Amino acid sequence: MRIILLGAPGSGKGTQGDLMAKRYGFPRISTGDLLRQAVKMRTPLGRKAEAIMKEGLLVNDEIVEELVRERIADPGCRKGYILDGFPRTVAQAEALKEIDGKRPEIVIGVEVPSEVLMERLSRRRVCPSCQAIYNLIVQPPKDQGQCDVCQSKLVQRSDDEPDVIRERLKVYCEQTEKLKDYYLRKRSYRPVDGRGTIEEIFRRIVHILDEALGKDEMRRVET
Ligand code: AMP
């Protein structure tokens, strides 16, 4: 099974993706994390992507598609995986079909009003070492400014500054929101109300996935 997390920046996809990975045992593949890692390591790809990411724009489709192709070839992804932040364009969705077309898929659309997104993004802090995500108000670290998991100093992502946030939300509306219709047509889109506590949102997702994964299991037994 492939689970695609679709939602605007700040919708909580990353946090929910981590919880889903723990519950269902599928790895979470975040193209944003893969790209940030490449930037940190100063790889040729990272150097190309860095300036684009700083502006809140989308990295070239081919670059991201290649990252995903490599990552999902990993044996750990054989049973399934959770995609967070990919696809972001219809061209990427088409590429995904070509990379791994036969796998059953479900798209969890985390829907959050835009004013809530702005607020969440400006309060987000991340761990640069283990990528844990915090929110200063609703999910603060136990010790101020420090990661609960690995004790590294938390940082604000450079693309979580107000001007860049606005640009990222614009890019989302112009390019990624079209994917909702794309997956509605494929009948794989499941909307989830992304307001409320992390636990409330997760319960809504589990409700959908338990049913979908149960069906997937039955299909595998039959074939
Ligand atoms: P994220 O962590 O998902 O918010 O991604 C951070 C940034 O990485 C985005 O603003 C883009 O610049 C880049 N990025 C991540 N995923 C993709 C993708 N699928 N296509 C193009 N750019 C991406």
Side-chain angles (χ1 to χ4, degrees):
M1 170 68 85
R2 164 171 53 237
I3 303 166
I4 296 176
L5 272 164
L6 197 63
S11 59
K13 295 188 295 334
T15 305
Q16 296 299 330
D18 276 341
L19 294 172
M20 287 154 60
K22 279 196 199 106
R23 181 179 170 102
Y24 298 103
F26 298 141
R28 166 181 161 246
I29 303 174
S30 154
T31 41
D33 284 351
L34 292 175
L35 286 164
R36 277 185 289 278
Q37 185 67 18
V39 170
K40 202 164 137 189
M41 309 288 285
R42 313 281 318 141
T43 65
L45 184 153
R47 268 183 245 154
K48 263 194 221 161
E50 188 172 18
I52 302 170
M53 292 171 76
K54 270 204 181 122
E55 284 184 52
L57 302 173
L58 291 187
V59 174
N60 183 288
D61 283 341
E62 287 81 46
I63 292 184
V64 193
E65 284 158 19
E66 197 46 41
L67 277 178
V68 171
R69 187 189 300 274
E70 273 174 25
R71 181 65 183 85
I72 62 186
D74 192 285
C77 294
R78 211 170 286 147
K79 281 197 181 156
Y81 48 88
I82 302 163
L83 287 175
D84 168 3
F86 184 93
R88 258 178 158 97
T89 62
V90 172
Q92 291 179 11
E94 289 289 315
L96 183 59
K97 243 177 26 191
E98 183 256 312
I99 297 171
D100 192 16
K102 288 211 188 91
R103 198 182 281 277
E105 80 186 350
I106 183 160
V107 180
I108 301 290
V110 186
E111 301 188 347
V112 179
S114 56
E115 60 282 5
V116 180
L117 295 172
M118 270 310 271
E119 201 179 289
R120 281 191 190 168
L121 286 167
S122 56
R123 290 176 181 162
R124 175 160 71 179
R125 295 294 179 275
V126 294
C127 173
S129 306
C130 74
Q131 274 74 50
I133 307 163
Y134 299 87
N135 177 293
L136 296 182
I137 308 295
V138 295
Q139 196 195 5
K142 288 194 194 86
D143 285 318
Q144 209 189 351
Q146 192 173 304
C147 178
D148 294 349
V149 185
C150 69
Q151 281 71 53
S152 301
K153 190 170 175 288
L154 299 180
V155 296
Q156 182 168 31
R157 275 172 43 174
S158 57
D159 60 355
D160 276 348
E161 278 155 23
D163 283 352
V164 189
I165 292 177
R166 266 189 288 278
E167 188 60 39
R168 289 165 64 210
L169 292 176
K170 188 168 149 241
V171 167
Y172 181 81
C173 288
E174 288 172 0
Q175 306 206 43
T176 311
E177 217 160 45
K178 288 183 196 141
L179 285 175
K180 177 174 172 178
D181 280 342
Y182 177 91
Y183 285 118
L184 274 170
R185 277 197 299 275
K186 288 182 77 186
R187 296 177 189 277
S188 42
Y189 187 84
R190 303 283 184 283
V192 169
D193 183 354
R195 292 168 301 177
T197 66
I198 291 168
E199 293 75 21
E200 281 165 350
I201 302 163
F202 188 54
R203 269 199 295 276
R204 292 173 199 141
I205 294 178
V206 164
H207 184 74
I208 296 171
L209 286 182
D210 278 359
E211 203 209 322
L213 288 165
K215 275 190 198 151
D216 185 42
E217 200 53 48
M218 271 162 39
R219 200 166 17 210
R220 253 183 280 161
V221 171
E222 280 164 14
T223 51

Short mmCIF file of all heavy atoms in Angstrom, two decimals, residues 114-144:
data_model
loop_
_atom_site.label_atom_id
_atom_site.label_comp_id
_atom_site.label_asym_id
_atom_site.label_seq_id
_atom_site.Cartn_x
_atom_site.Cartn_y
_atom_site.Cartn_z
N SER A 114 -6.61 28.54 5.55
CA SER A 114 -5.30 29.19 5.34
C SER A 114 -4.84 30.02 6.54
O SER A 114 -3.64 30.08 6.82
CB SER A 114 -5.30 30.01 4.06
OG SER A 114 -6.33 30.93 4.12
N GLU A 115 -5.79 30.65 7.29
CA GLU A 115 -5.33 31.47 8.42
C GLU A 115 -4.68 30.60 9.51
O GLU A 115 -3.72 31.00 10.16
CB GLU A 115 -6.44 32.38 8.98
CG GLU A 115 -7.69 31.73 9.51
CD GLU A 115 -8.69 31.26 8.44
OE1 GLU A 115 -8.40 31.33 7.23
OE2 GLU A 115 -9.77 30.80 8.86
N VAL A 116 -5.17 29.37 9.65
CA VAL A 116 -4.59 28.46 10.65
C VAL A 116 -3.19 28.03 10.19
O VAL A 116 -2.27 27.90 10.99
CB VAL A 116 -5.50 27.22 10.84
CG1 VAL A 116 -4.92 26.24 11.85
CG2 VAL A 116 -6.91 27.63 11.24
N LEU A 117 -3.02 27.86 8.86
CA LEU A 117 -1.72 27.44 8.34
C LEU A 117 -0.63 28.46 8.65
O LEU A 117 0.45 28.12 9.11
CB LEU A 117 -1.80 27.27 6.81
CG LEU A 117 -2.72 26.17 6.29
CD1 LEU A 117 -2.85 26.25 4.78
CD2 LEU A 117 -2.21 24.79 6.70
N MET A 118 -0.95 29.74 8.40
CA MET A 118 0.03 30.82 8.64
C MET A 118 0.49 30.78 10.09
O MET A 118 1.67 30.87 10.39
CB MET A 118 -0.65 32.19 8.42
CG MET A 118 -0.60 32.78 7.06
SD MET A 118 1.00 32.84 6.29
CE MET A 118 1.67 34.38 6.82
N GLU A 119 -0.49 30.67 10.99
CA GLU A 119 -0.19 30.69 12.42
C GLU A 119 0.68 29.49 12.82
O GLU A 119 1.68 29.63 13.51
CB GLU A 119 -1.53 30.63 13.16
CG GLU A 119 -1.50 31.13 14.56
CD GLU A 119 -2.90 31.03 15.14
OE1 GLU A 119 -3.76 31.82 14.71
OE2 GLU A 119 -3.11 30.15 15.99
N ARG A 120 0.32 28.31 12.29
CA ARG A 120 1.07 27.10 12.65
C ARG A 120 2.51 27.18 12.15
O ARG A 120 3.44 26.80 12.84
CB ARG A 120 0.42 25.88 12.02
CG ARG A 120 -0.79 25.41 12.78
CD ARG A 120 -1.16 24.05 12.22
NE ARG A 120 -2.44 23.60 12.70
CZ ARG A 120 -3.08 22.57 12.19
NH1 ARG A 120 -2.57 21.90 11.19
NH2 ARG A 120 -4.24 22.20 12.68
N LEU A 121 2.68 27.66 10.91
CA LEU A 121 4.03 27.68 10.33
C LEU A 121 4.94 28.64 11.07
O LEU A 121 6.12 28.37 11.27
CB LEU A 121 3.97 28.06 8.85
CG LEU A 121 3.43 26.96 7.93
CD1 LEU A 121 3.12 27.53 6.55
CD2 LEU A 121 4.41 25.82 7.81
N SER A 122 4.39 29.77 11.52
CA SER A 122 5.26 30.73 12.19
C SER A 122 5.65 30.23 13.58
O SER A 122 6.65 30.67 14.14
CB SER A 122 4.61 32.11 12.25
OG SER A 122 3.37 32.00 12.87
N ARG A 123 4.90 29.28 14.13
CA ARG A 123 5.24 28.74 15.46
C ARG A 123 5.96 27.41 15.38
O ARG A 123 6.19 26.77 16.39
CB ARG A 123 3.96 28.55 16.27
CG ARG A 123 3.35 29.87 16.66
CD ARG A 123 2.06 29.61 17.36
NE ARG A 123 1.41 30.83 17.74
CZ ARG A 123 0.13 30.91 18.05
NH1 ARG A 123 -0.63 29.85 18.00
NH2 ARG A 123 -0.38 32.06 18.42
N ARG A 124 6.26 26.96 14.18
CA ARG A 124 6.91 25.65 14.05
C ARG A 124 8.39 25.74 14.36
O ARG A 124 9.07 26.69 13.98
CB ARG A 124 6.72 25.13 12.62
CG ARG A 124 7.45 23.83 12.36
CD ARG A 124 6.92 23.10 11.19
NE ARG A 124 7.23 23.75 9.92
CZ ARG A 124 6.86 23.26 8.75
NH1 ARG A 124 6.13 22.16 8.68
NH2 ARG A 124 7.17 23.88 7.64
N ARG A 125 8.89 24.77 15.09
CA ARG A 125 10.34 24.64 15.31
C ARG A 125 10.70 23.20 14.98
O ARG A 125 9.89 22.29 15.21
CB ARG A 125 10.72 24.94 16.77
CG ARG A 125 10.46 26.38 17.20
CD ARG A 125 11.35 27.40 16.46
NE ARG A 125 11.06 28.77 16.88
CZ ARG A 125 10.10 29.54 16.38
NH1 ARG A 125 9.31 29.09 15.42
NH2 ARG A 125 9.93 30.76 16.82
N VAL A 126 11.89 22.99 14.42
CA VAL A 126 12.29 21.64 14.04
C VAL A 126 13.65 21.30 14.60
O VAL A 126 14.45 22.19 14.90
CB VAL A 126 12.32 21.47 12.50
CG1 VAL A 126 10.94 21.60 11.89
CG2 VAL A 126 13.26 22.48 11.86
N CYS A 127 13.91 19.99 14.70
CA CYS A 127 15.22 19.54 15.14
C CYS A 127 16.08 19.32 13.89
O CYS A 127 15.70 18.51 13.04
CB CYS A 127 15.09 18.25 15.95
SG CYS A 127 16.72 17.57 16.31
N PRO A 128 17.21 20.00 13.77
CA PRO A 128 18.03 19.83 12.57
C PRO A 128 18.72 18.46 12.52
O PRO A 128 19.15 18.04 11.46
CB PRO A 128 19.07 20.95 12.68
CG PRO A 128 19.13 21.29 14.13
CD PRO A 128 17.79 20.96 14.73
N SER A 129 18.78 17.74 13.66
CA SER A 129 19.45 16.44 13.65
C SER A 129 18.50 15.29 13.33
O SER A 129 18.74 14.50 12.44
CB SER A 129 20.09 16.16 15.01
OG SER A 129 20.93 17.22 15.35
N CYS A 130 17.38 15.22 14.09
CA CYS A 130 16.50 14.05 13.88
C CYS A 130 15.19 14.42 13.19
O CYS A 130 14.33 13.55 13.01
CB CYS A 130 16.23 13.33 15.20
SG CYS A 130 15.10 14.19 16.29
N GLN A 131 15.02 15.69 12.82
CA GLN A 131 13.84 16.16 12.06
C GLN A 131 12.53 16.12 12.86
O GLN A 131 11.45 16.24 12.28
CB GLN A 131 13.63 15.37 10.74
CG GLN A 131 14.41 15.92 9.55
CD GLN A 131 15.87 15.59 9.64
OE1 GLN A 131 16.22 14.43 9.86
NE2 GLN A 131 16.73 16.57 9.48
N ALA A 132 12.60 15.95 14.19
CA ALA A 132 11.36 16.02 14.98
C ALA A 132 10.74 17.42 14.83
O ALA A 132 11.45 18.40 14.65
CB ALA A 132 11.67 15.72 16.45
N ILE A 133 9.40 17.45 14.88
CA ILE A 133 8.70 18.71 14.63
C ILE A 133 7.97 19.15 15.91
O ILE A 133 7.33 18.34 16.58
CB ILE A 133 7.66 18.53 13.50
CG1 ILE A 133 8.33 17.92 12.26
CG2 ILE A 133 7.00 19.86 13.14
CD1 ILE A 133 7.35 17.32 11.26
N TYR A 134 8.03 20.44 16.22
CA TYR A 134 7.35 20.98 17.41
C TYR A 134 6.54 22.20 17.01
O TYR A 134 6.76 22.79 15.95
CB TYR A 134 8.39 21.40 18.47
CG TYR A 134 9.23 20.24 18.94
CD1 TYR A 134 10.40 19.89 18.25
CD2 TYR A 134 8.85 19.49 20.03
CE1 TYR A 134 11.15 18.80 18.66
CE2 TYR A 134 9.61 18.39 20.44
CZ TYR A 134 10.75 18.06 19.76
OH TYR A 134 11.50 16.98 20.15
N ASN A 135 5.60 22.55 17.89
CA ASN A 135 4.87 23.80 17.73
C ASN A 135 4.93 24.49 19.08
O ASN A 135 4.65 23.85 20.11
CB ASN A 135 3.41 23.52 17.32
CG ASN A 135 2.59 24.79 17.22
OD1 ASN A 135 2.32 25.47 18.22
ND2 ASN A 135 2.20 25.14 16.02
N LEU A 136 5.34 25.76 19.08
CA LEU A 136 5.60 26.42 20.36
C LEU A 136 4.37 26.47 21.27
O LEU A 136 4.50 26.55 22.48
CB LEU A 136 6.12 27.84 20.12
CG LEU A 136 7.48 27.92 19.41
CD1 LEU A 136 7.92 29.35 19.25
CD2 LEU A 136 8.54 27.11 20.17
N ILE A 137 3.17 26.42 20.68
CA ILE A 137 1.97 26.50 21.51
C ILE A 137 1.34 25.13 21.77
O ILE A 137 1.14 24.74 22.91
CB ILE A 137 0.90 27.42 20.84
CG1 ILE A 137 1.51 28.78 20.47
CG2 ILE A 137 -0.34 27.57 21.72
CD1 ILE A 137 1.97 29.64 21.62
N VAL A 138 1.05 24.39 20.70
CA VAL A 138 0.28 23.16 20.92
C VAL A 138 1.13 21.92 21.13
O VAL A 138 0.65 20.90 21.62
CB VAL A 138 -0.75 22.89 19.79
CG1 VAL A 138 -1.81 23.96 19.75
CG2 VAL A 138 -0.09 22.74 18.43
N GLN A 139 2.41 21.98 20.77
CA GLN A 139 3.26 20.78 20.95
C GLN A 139 4.68 21.24 21.29
O GLN A 139 5.64 20.98 20.54
CB GLN A 139 3.25 19.97 19.64
CG GLN A 139 3.75 18.58 19.76
CD GLN A 139 4.06 17.99 18.38
OE1 GLN A 139 3.99 18.67 17.36
NE2 GLN A 139 4.43 16.74 18.35
N PRO A 140 4.83 21.95 22.43
CA PRO A 140 6.16 22.49 22.76
C PRO A 140 7.11 21.39 23.24
O PRO A 140 6.66 20.36 23.75
CB PRO A 140 5.87 23.47 23.89
CG PRO A 140 4.62 22.97 24.52
CD PRO A 140 3.84 22.24 23.47
N PRO A 141 8.43 21.59 23.08
CA PRO A 141 9.37 20.62 23.64
C PRO A 141 9.33 20.70 25.16
O PRO A 141 8.92 21.72 25.73
CB PRO A 141 10.72 21.11 23.10
CG PRO A 141 10.52 22.56 22.84
CD PRO A 141 9.09 22.75 22.46
N LYS A 142 9.77 19.62 25.84
CA LYS A 142 9.74 19.62 27.31
C LYS A 142 10.69 20.70 27.86
O LYS A 142 10.34 21.44 28.76
CB LYS A 142 10.15 18.24 27.85
CG LYS A 142 9.06 17.20 27.61
CD LYS A 142 9.33 15.94 28.44
CE LYS A 142 8.47 14.80 27.96
NZ LYS A 142 9.07 14.04 26.83
N ASP A 143 11.92 20.74 27.30
CA ASP A 143 12.87 21.79 27.69
C ASP A 143 12.90 22.83 26.59
O ASP A 143 13.11 22.47 25.42
CB ASP A 143 14.28 21.21 27.87
CG ASP A 143 14.38 20.43 29.15
OD1 ASP A 143 13.84 20.88 30.17
OD2 ASP A 143 14.98 19.33 29.11
N GLN A 144 12.72 24.08 26.98
CA GLN A 144 12.62 25.14 25.98
C GLN A 144 13.79 25.12 24.98
O GLN A 144 14.96 25.07 25.38
CB GLN A 144 12.60 26.48 26.70
CG GLN A 144 11.83 27.53 25.92
CD GLN A 144 12.00 28.89 26.54
OE1 GLN A 144 12.56 29.05 27.61
NE2 GLN A 144 11.55 29.91 25.83
#
